[in-house]
Amino acid sequence: MIRKILKTNENWGQLIARLTLGLVLFPHGAQKMLGLFGGYGYTATMDALTNQMQLPSIIAFLVIVIEFFGAIFLILGCATRVWSLAIVFLFTGIIFTAQFEHGFFMNWFGVQKGEGYEYSLLIIGLAITAVINGAGKLSVDNQILKYLNNK
């Protein structure tokens, strides 16, 4: 089972998709977890997600963990399929809980009451490619798999 999870199509395209996903997602996770990039940090984010958005605390916790640690693990190419699948579920949930009512387009000019879901669709698309194809070149997944196959 672990070999199926770690198996990757060792190509440059998947590396680019994985790094793009991780690098785009990391600042959002760092805002929520650490308060970097103008974010509010873990405690304030938990408060906002549980009190303002009315999410159960376990879901709020998972949102923060998936965005922060998922991004780091994707950049490293470690457990890529697992974190990518978690990201697919997370952003599908974001679409239906916070974005769907605002339509497709992002709120570029501040005229909508919220953000549309086009950004989330891009994230989901990149994550699905990682679920299907694995981490690509230069990944921890590939190194672990090579080690397991040589045992």
Side-chain angles (χ1 to χ4, degrees):
M1 182 66 161
I2 191 76
R3 284 179 170 82
K4 286 183 181 182
I5 293 171
L6 297 177
K7 185 178 182 308
T8 184
N9 295 330
E10 206 175 341
N11 63 60
W12 290 105
Q14 197 52 38
L15 167 69
I16 293 167
R18 171 176 54 86
L19 287 178
T20 300
L21 180 58
L23 292 171
V24 167
L25 198 55
F26 177 75
H28 296 276
Q31 285 178 319
K32 292 173 178 70
M33 180 69 84
L34 305 174
L36 299 176
F37 306 106
Y40 298 109
Y42 179 80
T43 304
T45 302
M46 280 295 288
D47 182 60
L49 292 173
T50 56
N51 293 325
Q52 292 174 13
M53 295 201 61
Q54 300 293 307
L55 293 176
S57 57
I58 186 68
I59 299 297
F61 174 75
L62 288 172
V63 166
I64 296 168
V65 167
I66 291 168
E67 283 192 29
F68 183 68
F69 291 107
I72 292 170
F73 276 79
L74 284 174
I75 291 166
L76 296 173
C78 185
T80 300
R81 282 191 166 94
V82 173
W83 287 106
S84 295
L85 188 61
I87 289 166
V88 169
F89 286 117
L90 171 63
F91 277 85
T92 300
I94 290 170
I95 288 172
F96 287 109
T97 60
Q99 297 173 333
F100 194 74
E101 66 185 289
H102 303 294
F104 179 77
F105 294 102
M106 292 178 65
N107 192 12
W108 289 106
F109 303 107
V111 296
Q112 299 171 190
K113 291 185 179 184
E115 295 290 342
Y117 52 87
E118 68 178 318
Y119 168 82
S120 293
L121 286 179
L122 290 170
I123 293 291
I124 290 168
L126 285 171
I128 288 172
T129 67
V131 170
I132 294 169
N133 296 309
K137 287 193 172 285
L138 306 175
S139 67
V140 172
D141 286 351
N142 199 33
Q143 295 304 313
I144 294 170
L145 190 60
K146 284 179 182 177
Y147 173 77
L148 290 174
N149 288 337
N150 289 330
K151 278 182 91 176

